[in-house]
Amino acid sequence: MSQEQWNAVDRYFTDQLVPADDVLSAALAASDAAGLPAINVAPNQGKLLHLLARVQGARTILEIGTLGGYSTIWLGRALPEDGRLVSLEYNPVHADVARANLARAGLDKIAEVRTGPALESLADLAAAGAGPFDFVFIDADKPNNPHYLEWALKLTRPGSVIIGDNVVRNGAVVDADSTDPSVRGTRRLIELMAGDPRLSATAIQTVGSKGYDGFALARVN
C-alpha cells in the first residue's frame, strides 16, 4: 500500500460522505494564506469528530490546540444553539485566524479561542469553575499530552469523552527507547489512560491523506 492509494481512498470517502462546504474551504484557504502549517485534520476526520460529539450529545466542548479553527468548526457545529466551546491556542497569529474563521462560520457566539500556554489556560478554566466539559479534543504539543490529560480529567465528568490525536506517529509510538519528546509524551498519555481507573480507553491506527497515524479515545467512568 502507498501514500498515493491512501490519498485516493480518503478522496473517495470524502467525496461520498463529506459534501463540499464553502465555510470549511474558506477556513483552510485563510489558514494557508496566513502561513499556518497544513496539519489540520482531514475532512473525513473532522466529520468523525463532529459525529462523535453529536453521538455524545455534547453541550460543552474543550479543544486543546486550535490552529486555524478547522476542527473547531466541525466540533462547534455539533453543539446545540446554547452550547459552548472553548479552544486553547498558544500562537496569537493562529488564534486570530481561527477567530475569523469561526466568525465566518457563525460560531463566534458559542466558540471562544483563548490565547496563551494551554497549561496556564487550563488552570485558569479550573480556577474559574469552568466545565464540566462533555467532550475534550487534545491536539496540541505532544510532549505535554500527559499534563493535558490530567487537566482534562479535572474538567470533565463521568460519561465525558476525551480524544487524543496523533498517537501513532508513523509507528514510532512502539519505540520504548525513543528520545523524541513527542513520542515520549504520547506513550505517557497511553500509559496514563491504561492505568487510570477513571478511564476506559482504546486507540485506533489510521492511514489516509495525513499519513500513518491514529487517535486514542477514552470515556470517563
Side-chain angles (χ1 to χ4, degrees), residues 4-108:
E4 182 179 355
Q5 186 163 15
W6 296 346
N7 291 346
V9 172
D10 257 10
R11 283 195 299 271
Y12 170 73
F13 285 144
T14 297
D15 289 346
Q16 294 294 314
L17 301 171
V18 189
D21 186 299
D22 290 343
V23 169
L24 288 167
S25 296
L28 292 178
S31 296
D32 183 61
L36 275 61
I39 55 174
N40 50 275
V41 299
N44 50 342
Q45 294 169 340
K47 190 165 186 182
L48 174 63
L49 290 172
H50 172 84
L51 291 173
L52 287 171
R54 289 188 66 186
V55 168
Q56 168 69 355
R59 303 183 67 85
T60 52
I61 295 176
L62 172 63
E63 179 182 48
I64 305 173
T66 315
L67 195 60
Y70 183 77
S71 58
T72 321
I73 293 172
W74 277 112
L75 290 168
R77 286 177 168 179
L79 289 170
E81 290 185 2
D82 61 346
R84 180 186 180 219
L85 188 156
V86 178
S87 189
L88 311 180
E89 173 56 45
Y90 176 78
N91 188 308
V93 174
H94 296 183
D96 286 343
V97 172
R99 291 187 187 103
N101 285 334
L102 289 166
R104 187 187 301 109
L107 294 169
D108 49 321

Side-chain angles (χ1 to χ4, degrees), residues 154-215:
K154 295 175 183 178
L155 290 163
T156 49
R157 58 167 178 80
S160 292
V161 169
I162 301 171
I163 293 180
D165 202 12
N166 307 125
V167 299
V168 173
R169 312 207 61 77
N170 220 25
V173 71
V174 300
D175 182 3
D177 298 321
S178 175
T179 59
D180 183 334
S182 293
V183 173
R184 294 174 67 87
T186 299
R187 286 179 60 89
R188 185 59 184 151
L189 171 76
I190 299 300
E191 291 165 1
L192 289 171
M193 285 184 169
D196 195 315
R198 293 171 293 176
L199 291 173
S200 178
T202 191
I204 299 294
Q205 302 180 77
T206 61
V207 295
S209 60
K210 297 297 179 178
Y212 175 35
D213 215 327
F215 63 92

Side-chain angles (χ1 to χ4, degrees), residues 107-133:
L107 294 169
D108 49 321
K109 299 296 189 297
I110 64 172
E112 170 193 3
V113 179
R114 296 194 176 195
T115 309
L119 293 178
E120 294 179 11
S121 297
L122 289 163
D124 290 343
L125 285 170
F133 291 95

